[in-house]
Amino acid sequence: SQQGEEDPQALSIQEGENATMNCSYKTSINNLQWYRQNSGRGLVHLILIRSNEREKHSGRLRVTLDTSKKSSSLLITASRAADTASYFCATSSGGGATNKLIFGTGTLLAVQP
Amino acid sequence: NAGVTQTPKFRVLKTGQSMTLLCAQDMNHEYMYWYRQDPGMGLRLIHYSVGEGTTAKGEVPDGYNVSRLKKQNFLLGLESAAPSQTSVYFCASTKKVGSGNQPQHFGDGTRLSIL
């Protein structure tokens, strides 16, 4: 069963605009991670936020985590055509014994030049 | 440093045939995983391994077997392929850390079609 549900399923914006994607999950977590997948390629790790963190930044990426609402958001600022990809959230639970992740269904982002 | 390498990249099988997908990583990671990705469903964990010689079932293990004879390799086998196993298969690896706060590193996938 999927742990994460992502919203929206698809998003189309113009270059230079900001893109926001949301992720909701069901159980308590150790951390939440965001990945990007370009068409026909594997997933690439973007950012990891721990359960005791509320916000994290990496370049043009900003991730927030609200454990009380079991939700996270990924903000991409000043988007570029190269940001066109699918974005997935993934949650890790149960400590480091297995490092298993449960993935959401993803958001397909299209950035129009 | 190639990271995670999957072979083959594409394969077409007939129902009932068998095959093995190979995953190799050169990062000395302890943990390795096999996922399948189907349209609209994200990635689902098939099997995983926390070390050489050990394997465990994930969310959707039926119809698949795995082996981890060497730390750097994780093999996924389909004994009798079925059309429902048409999918894109991804391998991933990660470093063993007590806190579990480590990203996974992915290969580029194997696109498998079962006719």
Side-chain angles (χ1 to χ4, degrees):
Chain A
S1 61
Q2 301 294 137
Q3 163 79 305
E5 295 288 335
E6 289 174 69
D7 171 57
Q9 290 187 334
L11 179 61
S12 181
I13 60 174
Q14 297 295 124
E15 217 168 17
E17 294 181 337
N18 295 342
T20 299
M21 288 158 267
N22 303 296
C23 170
S24 61
Y25 57 92
K26 299 174 183 174
T27 64
S28 61
I29 61 173
N30 295 327
N31 66 68
L32 186 143
Q33 304 178 29
W34 285 90
Y35 289 81
R36 185 187 75 231
Q37 183 180 34
N38 290 90
S39 181
R41 302 298 301 273
L43 278 73
V44 175
H45 179 258
L46 295 175
I47 197 165
L48 181 153
I49 185 165
R50 303 181 186 200
S51 60
N52 60 356
E53 297 175 313
R54 292 297 167 257
E55 187 171 315
K56 203 162 184 180
H57 297 255
S58 177
R60 293 184 295 113
L61 305 180
R62 172 179 170 252
V63 169
T64 61
L65 179 65
D66 187 335
T67 54
S68 67
K69 295 181 179 179
K70 292 186 170 57
S71 66
S72 174
S73 66
L74 170 67
L75 169 67
I76 303 174
T77 60
S79 63
R80 305 166 181 168
D83 294 328
T84 294
S86 292
Y87 291 82
F88 294 90
C89 68
T91 54
S92 175
S93 307
T98 65
N99 282 15
K100 288 192 295 181
L101 293 177
I102 301 177
F103 284 84
T105 52
T107 293
L108 178 60
L109 174 66
V111 182
Q112 309 298 332
Chain B
N1 191 340
V4 178
T5 303
Q6 292 184 234
T7 53
K9 296 189 186 308
F10 304 92
R11 187 74 183 266
V12 178
L13 290 179
K14 294 181 179 179
T15 298
Q17 287 185 318
S18 63
M19 78 162 296
T20 300
L21 283 65
L22 172 65
C23 176
Q25 52 94 4
D26 61 3
M27 297 172 284
N28 203 33
H29 285 168
E30 291 81 6
Y31 296 163
M32 297 186 75
Y33 313 84
W34 275 108
Y35 296 90
R36 61 178 289 173
Q37 185 177 32
D38 301 295
M41 299 201 64
L43 275 73
R44 291 182 292 168
L45 183 64
I46 304 172
H47 286 281
Y48 64 98
S49 169
V50 298
E52 183 178 323
T54 71
T55 62
K57 294 180 180 180
E59 181 186 356
V60 288
D62 294 342
Y64 305 95
N65 56 75
V66 288
S67 64
R68 183 108 181 261
L69 299 180
K70 294 182 179 180
K71 185 177 183 179
Q72 63 268 34
N73 295 338
F74 195 26
L75 279 62
L76 177 70
L78 284 72
E79 290 184 346
S80 180
S84 61
Q85 294 177 304
T86 293
S87 188
V88 182
Y89 292 86
F90 287 98
C91 176
S93 71
T94 190
K95 186 177 180 180
K96 178 181 179 180
V97 171
S99 67
N101 293 316
Q102 289 289 309
Q104 292 188 6
H105 300 260
F106 283 81
D108 276 339
T110 294
R111 284 142 188 85
L112 184 61
S113 292
I114 316 294
L115 304 179

